[in-house]
Every structure is written in structure tokens, then in C-alpha cells.
């Protein structure tokens, strides 16, 4: 199944929702565990969002690829045509 390509507007909307979760824990409940239960997320995800927000601001809360940046064991595709000199 192909992955959905998110528009920039969707990414900002999702980042703002994540920011609302972080603010809820800080300003409303004062309790991370209760906030996570309320929003149905794990505390690990909450703290990942919090760390990314502190490091990068709102851009840190946008979805990003989970694909590795480097894969040392990848095999390069073979050329389908061999050039002879």
C-alpha cells in the first residue's frame, strides 16, 4: 500500500495538535501520565515530541520519515547494460 503524501498544511495541523498535547500537560493537568492517557499516546511518544519541540521548535513536531539515513549493507543494483570499450 503506498504511503500518503502529506501536504504542508496537514503537517502543520498535526504539529499543532502535538503542541496542544504538550501544552495540556504543562498548563492544564500538570501530569504527563494523565495527559497521555487522555490523548491515547504513550509517554515515550510524549517525551520524544517534547525533546524535538525543545530542540527544533514547531518544525520538530512535524512528521518525518523513519527511513534510515544510511544503510551500510545495501547492495547497489547491477547495470542492465554493460559497456565494452
Amino acid at each position: 500500500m503506498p504511503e500518503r503524501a502529506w501536504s504542508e498544511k496537514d503537517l502543520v495541523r498535526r504539529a499543532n495538535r502535538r503542541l496542544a498535547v504538550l501544552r495540556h500537560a504543562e498548563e492544564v493537568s500538570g501530569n504527563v501520565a494523565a495527559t497521555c492517557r487522555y490523548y491515547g499516546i504513550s509517554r515515550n511518544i510524549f517525551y520524544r515530541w517534547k525533546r524535538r519541540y525543545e530542540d527544533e521548535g514547531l518544525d520538530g513536531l512535524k512528521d518525518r520519515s523513519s527511513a534510515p539515513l544510511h544503510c551500510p549493507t545495501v547492495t547497489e543494483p547491477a547495470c542492465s547494460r554493460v559497456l565494452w570499450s
Side-chain angles (χ1 to χ4, degrees):
M1 174 180 350
E3 286 190 37
R4 178 179 174 187
W6 296 97
S7 70
E8 184 64 24
K9 185 177 178 180
D10 289 331
L11 292 175
V12 170
R13 184 177 296 131
R14 291 169 61 92
N16 283 325
R17 180 190 178 275
R18 291 173 180 175
L19 181 57
V21 172
L22 296 177
R23 286 188 174 153
H24 184 272
E26 184 178 320
E27 298 169 2
V28 177
S29 72
N31 185 321
V32 171
T35 297
C36 291
R37 279 192 303 274
Y38 180 79
Y39 284 99
I41 63 170
S42 71
R43 285 181 290 168
N44 287 338
I45 292 294
F46 176 88
Y47 286 113
R48 181 182 305 157
W49 292 349
K50 184 177 180 191
R51 184 178 57 249
R52 285 171 40 185
Y53 180 69
E54 290 169 350
D55 292 344
E56 304 172 38
L58 190 60
D59 284 337
L61 295 177
K62 291 181 182 177
D63 285 338
R64 53 179 74 172
S65 174
S66 61
L69 297 176
H70 176 69
C71 184
T73 60
V74 70
T75 304
E76 295 297 324
C79 290
S80 61
R81 193 173 102 185
V82 177
L83 299 175
W84 298 93
S85 46

